[in-house]
Amino acid sequence: MSVLLIAILMPATGTGAGQNEKQPARTKKVVVLDPGHGGHDMGAGKPGDIYEKEVALLFASLLADKLKPAYTVHLTRSDDYQIDLMHRPAVANHLEADLFLSIHTGASTLHNPNGMLLAYYDNQFRLTTPHATTAYDSLKKEDALPSWDEKSAIQVEKSKKLARLLKEKILEYDQEIKIDIQGMPLVVLEGADQPALLIEIGYLTNPADLRKLKNNSVLESYTNTISAALKAYFSDPSDM
């Protein structure tokens, strides 16, 4: 385990504090945002332009600022360093998060695919097309985490519901945008003990999407739609 992850996962201690003291009751939901890639792992992009790791961190930071008044928000990384895929949901689990969102962008060798992808964990998924986006870079491998207990099925259903709410709110802002919802055996979502989604906010290989991803006002508008979706999601008593 890396020194960074140990630092994240070790509980904070203070002098004179009893180890068995009860923690104060939560007053806010806890949301963990995971900016994809980082460090030597650039993600999508090309030299001389922006890389996925940069867009993911910028968007996650903007989204954190938007959500902080209503939620307790943590980022898995706050700078340009790499974190192992399987450690990312572990951070959310340690923090007993109510929601885990992994932020990415897409890329493809096909003819200018565009739009957003909202992916939830599904180990039954099989890739049947030559479509190659960075969301598939983290598909389940033989040495990935073993399947977690049966309660994961409940979290997957909640993740699907959140994906549908996100799509609804984003389309209220931009009716022309293409939004796909898919289940995939993504390592970065496996093991999460809370509803979890991977969000590709656009394609760096599509010129129109690239312009949007370079525009902070567009990115901030997406944070508004995600915030609205989270408010609707957490307002439903069935998700408590």
Side-chain angles (χ1 to χ4, degrees):
M1 184 178 290
S2 66
V3 173
L4 170 63
L5 187 68
I6 292 173
I8 293 173
L9 297 183
M10 284 294 289
T13 58
T15 57
Q19 293 185 349
N20 296 322
E21 287 183 1
K22 291 184 178 180
Q23 297 298 315
R26 286 185 178 180
T27 58
K28 297 180 180 180
K29 297 291 186 182
V30 176
V31 177
V32 171
L33 303 178
D34 172 45
H37 306 276
H40 67 274
D41 180 8
M42 305 287 208
K46 58 185 179 180
D49 212 326
I50 58 174
Y51 283 101
E52 179 177 3
K53 66 173 186 176
E54 299 168 317
V55 179
L57 181 58
L58 172 60
F59 185 73
S61 299
L62 292 172
L63 182 56
D65 289 341
K66 178 66 180 179
L67 297 178
K68 278 178 182 176
Y71 308 98
T72 298
V73 183
H74 299 276
L75 272 65
T76 57
R77 69 178 179 94
S78 58
D79 210 331
D80 186 18
Y81 46 81
Q82 198 271 337
I83 303 175
D84 186 85
L85 283 175
M86 290 180 287
H87 290 167
R88 295 171 186 255
V91 173
N93 291 347
H94 172 75
L95 294 168
E96 298 181 352
D98 297 289
L99 185 65
F100 176 68
L101 299 177
S102 189
I103 309 299
H104 293 257
T105 64
S108 178
T109 57
L110 298 182
H111 181 64
N112 280 345
N114 66 314
M116 291 188 179
L117 171 69
L118 307 175
Y120 58 90
Y121 183 85
D122 183 354
N123 62 7
Q124 300 302 311
F125 175 82
R126 295 293 181 271
L127 186 60
T128 57
T129 71
H131 194 176
T133 78
T134 55
Y136 305 124
D137 292 347
S138 55
L139 285 175
K140 179 175 172 64
K141 300 179 177 60
E142 292 301 321
D143 59 351
L145 286 172
S147 296
W148 65 110
D149 59 42
E150 293 180 357
K151 70 179 180 181
S152 64
I154 298 174
Q155 303 301 354
V156 169
E157 288 305 311
K158 291 183 177 182
S159 300
K160 291 180 186 178
K161 177 179 179 179
L162 177 59
R164 292 191 292 267
L165 279 170
L166 278 171
K167 181 174 181 176
E168 175 187 320
K169 295 300 181 183
I170 293 169
L171 288 175
E172 287 178 4
Y173 162 72
D174 184 354
Q175 296 181 353
E176 302 300 321
I177 192 169
K178 176 186 174 185
I179 304 175
D180 291 328
I181 298 176
Q182 294 184 15
M184 302 177 184
L186 297 167
V187 175
V188 74
L189 301 182
E190 187 174 9
D193 290 334
Q194 57 285 126
L197 290 177
L198 181 145
I199 304 176
E200 284 188 353
I201 57 174
Y203 281 74
L204 289 177
T205 49
N206 180 285
D209 277 10
L210 180 59
R211 285 193 295 273
K212 291 180 180 179
L213 295 173
K214 288 182 174 180
N215 187 328
N216 278 21
S217 64
V218 173
L219 295 182
E220 288 174 353
S221 69
Y222 290 154
T223 70
N224 291 334
T225 61
I226 293 175
S227 177
L230 265 56
K231 181 178 180 180
Y233 176 82
F234 285 126
S235 296
D236 186 341
S238 66
D239 293 311
M240 297 299 104

